[in-house]
Amino acid sequence: MKLLQITLFTILGFSAINCQSKTKSEQKHEIIAQLTPQQLQQYETAYFASGCFWCVEAIFESVNGVKEVVSGYSGGKEKNPTYEQVGYGRTTHAEAVEVYYDPKIVSFETLVKVFFGSHDPTTLNRQGPDKGAQYRSIAFYKNESEKKIIKDYISELENNKVYSAPIVTEVKPFRVFYDAEDYHQDYEKNNPNNSYIRNVSVPRLKRFQAKFPELLKNQPH
């Protein structure tokens, strides 16, 4: 559904979307380049997939301690996937986000809480109106400590019977992340009048903000 909406929008509005002075990918690499090795050590990365990356990017960017969020693809085996390939289910990747965060301000445990608290982890290969394995729920880990944090939190949710259905989130080792095309970055912010943004992304963001006000930046995205 989202792919069909973006196809027409891309044809009609790509030039307007892409006229920003700097793309998100350029901003990310500039941020990294400007940091000294000591400063770069301040930031960690975390990777999650929980449906449309427009929605997920906006949610994590509203969290205090998060420096940057990039939309992209992960969890599959194909190299350099495109949005059309992923969106039509022609790869094994899922829409995902790369989160740069300051562990002195926000912990990985909290990001896992944000992840599970901002989507439905019980719907297999679906999130809201978006259907297909490309929208599946995945929590990636880079080491055994992160894996334990994710697994322990899932056990906590199950023991407390937070959901009436089984959690189907995949817990996978992180391998590689591919940045999505430039026009997908900051999509929710740059396209407030898009029908999907108005009807799906913004309501999802507002539900998260109402649920976790203590986690938000002073001026949330």
Side-chain angles (χ1 to χ4, degrees), residues 2-3 6 10 14 17-18 20 23-26 53-54 57 70-73 80-87 95-96 177-187 190:
K2 178 163 71 74
L3 185 64
I6 187 60
T10 301
F14 177 80
I17 298 172
N18 205 38
Q20 302 172 66
T23 66
K24 173 63 77 69
S25 294
E26 289 172 337
F53 49 23
W54 299 341
E57 179 187 358
V70 180
S71 289
Y73 316 108
N80 303 310
T82 66
Y83 179 70
E84 285 71 22
Q85 291 171 336
V86 176
E95 291 193 10
F177 178 87
Y178 296 98
D179 291 5
E181 294 81 348
D182 291 331
Y183 66 91
H184 287 297
Q185 311 300 339
D186 290 323
Y187 196 90
N190 292 330

Side-chain angles (χ1 to χ4, degrees), residues 3-194:
L3 185 64
L4 295 177
Q5 292 175 326
I6 187 60
T7 300
L8 180 59
F9 189 81
T10 301
I11 295 172
L12 298 177
F14 177 80
S15 60
I17 298 172
N18 205 38
C19 68
Q20 302 172 66
S21 58
K22 286 182 173 51
T23 66
K24 173 63 77 69
S25 294
E26 289 172 337
Q27 292 171 5
K28 180 183 79 170
H29 293 300
E30 279 190 7
I31 288 171
I32 295 172
Q34 290 169 2
L35 295 174
T36 66
Q38 184 177 6
Q39 290 173 323
L40 189 58
Q41 290 177 3
Q42 294 180 163
Y43 298 101
E44 296 285 348
T45 52
Y47 300 86
F48 302 99
S50 56
C52 168
F53 49 23
W54 299 341
C55 308
V56 186
E57 179 187 358
I59 287 167
F60 277 100
E61 284 193 334
S62 73
V63 175
N64 189 35
V66 171
K67 177 70 173 178
E68 183 64 278
V69 183
V70 180
S71 289
Y73 316 108
S74 194
K77 60 185 179 181
E78 296 81 6
K79 294 182 178 180
N80 303 310
T82 66
Y83 179 70
E84 285 71 22
Q85 291 171 336
V86 176
Y88 280 113
R90 296 171 184 161
T91 76
T92 53
H93 287 288
E95 291 193 10
V97 293
E98 178 181 47
V99 182
Y100 286 82
Y101 68 99
D102 186 344
K104 294 179 181 178
I105 300 175
V106 61
S107 65
F108 182 76
E109 290 94 333
T110 297
L111 295 181
V112 170
K113 179 180 178 181
V114 169
F115 167 72
F116 281 103
S118 59
H119 81 295
D120 184 350
T122 70
T123 52
L124 182 63
N125 296 334
R126 177 176 181 174
Q127 203 57 221
D130 298 313
K131 302 177 183 179
Q134 64 270 37
Y135 301 112
R136 67 192 186 275
S137 174
I138 312 174
F140 296 94
Y141 62 88
K142 296 186 297 180
N143 51 55
E144 288 302 309
S145 175
E146 290 184 351
K147 180 180 180 180
K148 185 177 187 303
I149 289 169
I150 297 167
K151 290 282 193 178
D152 286 351
Y153 195 71
I154 291 175
S155 295
E156 179 182 334
L157 293 173
E158 291 175 336
N159 291 337
N160 292 330
K161 295 180 170 50
V162 174
Y163 301 101
S164 57
I167 292 174
V168 296
T169 297
E170 296 178 16
V171 180
K172 300 184 65 171
F174 174 72
R175 301 301 184 197
V176 64
F177 178 87
Y178 296 98
D179 291 5
E181 294 81 348
D182 291 331
Y183 66 91
H184 287 297
Q185 311 300 339
D186 290 323
Y187 196 90
E188 183 262 1
K189 181 170 62 178
N190 292 330
N191 301 276
N193 295 321
N194 177 275

